[in-house]
Amino acid sequence: MEKYVIVGGNSLSGKVRLSGGKNSVLTILPACLLSKGVCTIHDVPRLSDVFVMKEVLECLGARVDFSGNTMVVDSSQVTSIEVPDRLTRLMRASNLVMGPMLSRFGQAKLAYPGGCSIGSRPMDQHLRGMKTLGAQIIEKHGYIEGKATKLQGGEICLDFPSVGATENIIMAATLAKGTTILRNAAREPEIVDLQNFLNSMGTKIKGAGTDIIRIEGVRELGSVEHTIIPDRIEAGTFLTIAAINQSDIYIDNIIPEHLEAVIAKVRETGVEIYEEANGIRVISNQRTKGIDFKTMPFPGFPTDMQAQVMVLMAVSEGTSIITENIFENRFKHVDELRRMGADIRVEGRVCIVKGVKKLSGAYVETSDLRAGSALVIAGLVAEGATVVANIYHIDRGYENFEQKLRGLGAQILRVNGTKER
Ligand code: UD1
């Protein structure tokens, strides 16, 4: 089991270039299953979640080459319709093959993804959408199986703007007969990236980025070359790192409009943020002030940034109220932050954070990806040494995390070992 050992307290400076977006890649790779041609995708981060999705495509029969940050996917010879339990358990996003497989082959079978450590994550919205497009859905023996002779366009209104359901339904509708209108769709930038990718492949999709998406079905789809948008959650994580360490950092490869809610909130804490065409400069030279925030679907404050900004609140002046509206169990980092001296109380979906002057280094364990990056941030600002265990969670979503941090002057090492310290 690998761990991070971090010695906190360094002020950071310099420039860091961020990677392509994990969540964008995790929807664009399944979308390759729609194409009879070859899909070439650039700026693909080398993350463990991306390798799992590569394996999902390969187990369906696609040929995948991953060199540097470019992935080439050839789905002309898909030979299987089933994703095994082992892979769906490793990564929930493997459910995103359902829409493309049903659309192109009229069949898909995957082990039920089930819950995860941040809360129960049903697929009811995905499946209701597929049924509206004419698929028969059978749920038994722990598997979800979809069948359709030919999907037909339809009108769907989501109960909640689910990101995954929006993506799965868009992909299902691309090769359906007729037009699909999806209302109350999620508006995340990754959905706009998916639309751009698919339209370059030959689909007719309009409206991504708004809550009404219109998809006109087409007969077949061909080759495409595409560059993934920058990772807005990695960007928000580095913005928080700069804010908390009283640093001067330039973060390169960011689309600031994708981060507006986070930038606005971090600015409220007293940090200076200057937006440039392709990046942001963050200057923090005083103790930050506590602020309140609530997680919301895009363009609101992202749930994937809640844990990291909570650490900033833990050392800011005053009391902050943080409300988690997207997932029901996304405060697992709180107990670990308390070990480091944070004063945080959880009441249902709300956290009350009373800022302390200092955190102190401790042995902590991470339970999920963003909780993991939050604990690293805490370690960077704490007095003394912090050991963050279970960092395989962090490897799911941050490419070369420790190298990027060391480039800014942080003291962080990846070590092997089973002992606590
Ligand atoms: C995606 C992101 C994840 C992010 C989340 C919310 C990827 C690979 N992952 O996850 O990083 O945290 O968006 O921004 O892009 N829900 C239902 N029924 C459904 C689907 C969802 O009740 O059929 C609920 C979920 O339980 C959850 C909420 O809707 O409470 C949001 O989930 P959703 O937007 O679907 O998130 P994901 O697509 O799984």
Side-chain angles (χ1 to χ4, degrees):
M1 282 292 190
E2 289 181 318
K3 297 165 184 178
Y4 279 140
V5 177
I6 304 163
V7 178
N10 283 21
S11 138
L12 309 181
S13 62
K15 177 175 168 176
V16 58
R17 187 182 190 277
L18 303 186
S19 301
K22 170 184 85 82
N23 286 351
S24 215
V25 178
L26 292 183
T27 179
I28 280 175
L29 291 181
C32 296
L33 292 166
L34 289 162
S35 166
K36 284 187 169 169
V38 173
C39 304
T40 306
I41 308 156
H42 303 292
D43 244 351
V44 177
R46 296 185 75 83
L47 300 170
S48 59
D49 268 8
V50 172
F51 282 97
V52 174
M53 191 59 92
K54 174 176 178 279
E55 213 182 324
V56 168
L57 298 184
E58 285 168 339
C59 90
L60 294 171
R63 277 179 297 165
V64 187
D65 178 74
F66 193 11
S67 310
N69 290 107
T70 295
M71 201 177 262
V72 180
V73 183
D74 177 350
S75 310
S76 54
Q77 304 294 325
V78 167
T79 49
S80 166
I81 54 123
E82 182 174 331
V83 184
D85 189 66
R86 182 178 65 82
L87 292 171
T88 51
R89 274 185 196 277
L90 272 178
M91 189 182 64
R92 181 185 154 81
S94 49
N95 67 17
L96 292 173
V97 303
M98 187 75 156
M101 290 295 289
L102 269 176
S103 199
R104 184 165 161 213
F105 303 105
Q107 251 183 310
K109 185 173 176 186
L110 51 102
Y112 205 82
C116 73
S117 70
I118 59 176
S120 95
R121 294 172 82 176
M123 273 188 74
D124 57 306
Q125 299 298 306
H126 303 234
L127 300 181
R128 194 163 60 77
M130 309 286 163
K131 283 183 194 162
T132 306
L133 300 184
Q136 187 197 358
I137 303 288
I138 305 151
E139 292 177 77
K140 69 179 181 200
H141 306 308
Y143 275 79
I144 304 170
E145 191 169 0
K147 287 184 184 167
T149 34
K150 176 83 184 157
L151 292 181
Q152 307 281 331
E155 293 215 12
I156 299 158
C157 183
L158 295 178
D159 294 343
F160 174 89
S162 152
V163 176
T166 301
E167 294 165 343
N168 234 339
I169 293 167
I170 290 176
M171 293 189 277
T174 53
L175 295 170
K177 190 162 182 279
T179 301
T180 298
I181 297 173
L182 178 60
R183 298 181 202 279
N184 199 23
R187 297 163 57 187
E188 269 68 1
E190 292 74 21
I191 293 162
V192 179
D193 205 26
L194 175 66
Q195 170 179 284
N196 292 340
F197 174 76
L198 288 169
N199 282 348
S200 310
M201 202 195 258
T203 59
K204 293 184 179 166
I205 308 172
K206 279 188 194 155
T210 75
D211 58 2
I212 303 181
I213 301 178
R214 191 185 169 92
I215 308 114
E216 258 181 71
V218 297
R219 274 174 186 273
E220 62 174 43
L221 295 166
S223 298
V224 56
E225 185 159 359
H226 182 82
T227 300
I228 295 293
I229 55 169
D231 195 311
R232 63 193 167 95
I233 304 301
E234 188 190 23
T237 303
F238 274 88
L239 168 56
T240 312
I241 288 168
I244 205 168
N245 283 289
Q246 303 197 354
S247 309
D248 182 347
I249 293 179
Y250 183 79
I251 310 173
D252 191 23
N253 197 29
I254 288 189
I255 300 176
E257 302 87 77
H258 292 176
L259 264 184
E260 266 170 12
V262 178
I263 289 176
K265 279 294 163 192
V266 175
R267 267 199 186 120
E268 260 183 59
T269 70
V271 172
E272 292 169 48
I273 302 172
Y274 301 97
E275 297 177 26
E276 294 177 19
N278 203 32
I280 54 173
R281 183 166 175 210
V282 189
I283 303 172
S284 170
N285 46 26
Q286 57 191 351
R287 187 174 179 208
T288 46
K289 293 189 283 289
I291 48 144
D292 299 341
F293 67 92
K294 296 178 182 179
T295 64
M296 301 288 279
F298 190 84
F301 190 95
T303 175
D304 287 351
M305 279 303 303
Q306 176 254 106
Q308 301 90 312
V309 178
M310 185 185 293
V311 181
L312 180 62
M313 296 302 94
V315 293
S316 292
E317 204 181 325
T319 298
S320 320
I321 310 286
I322 301 174
T323 310
E324 172 56 57
N325 286 318
I326 308 295
F327 292 107
E328 78 238 12
N329 191 18
R330 209 172 190 178
F331 288 143
K332 289 223 168 136
H333 41 283
V334 168
D335 280 344
E336 301 304 299
L337 290 173
R338 282 202 197 108
R339 286 173 194 268
M340 300 180 72
D343 182 349
I344 307 175
R345 202 168 79 237
V346 181
E347 287 185 6
R349 284 182 175 256
V350 173
C351 264
I352 299 128
V353 186
K354 286 190 184 158
V356 295
K357 284 220 163 106
K358 282 271 169 213
L359 294 177
S360 61
Y363 172 87
V364 287
E365 290 185 353
T366 172
S367 53
D368 67 77
L369 165 59
R370 305 305 169 185
S373 57
L375 293 175
V376 169
I377 296 174
L380 290 172
V381 78
E383 265 176 350
T386 294
V387 176
V388 181
N390 298 344
I391 59 172
Y392 63 90
H393 288 293
I394 300 176
D395 294 335
R396 290 185 42 220
Y398 291 90
E399 188 183 41
N400 300 330
F401 198 32
E402 69 266 26
Q403 289 87 336
K404 284 173 182 163
L405 287 169
R406 277 203 297 269
L408 296 171
Q411 286 192 63
I412 174 168
L413 272 184
R414 178 182 287 256
V415 296
N416 269 307
T418 48
K419 287 199 185 131
E420 281 208 348
R421 281 176 184 268

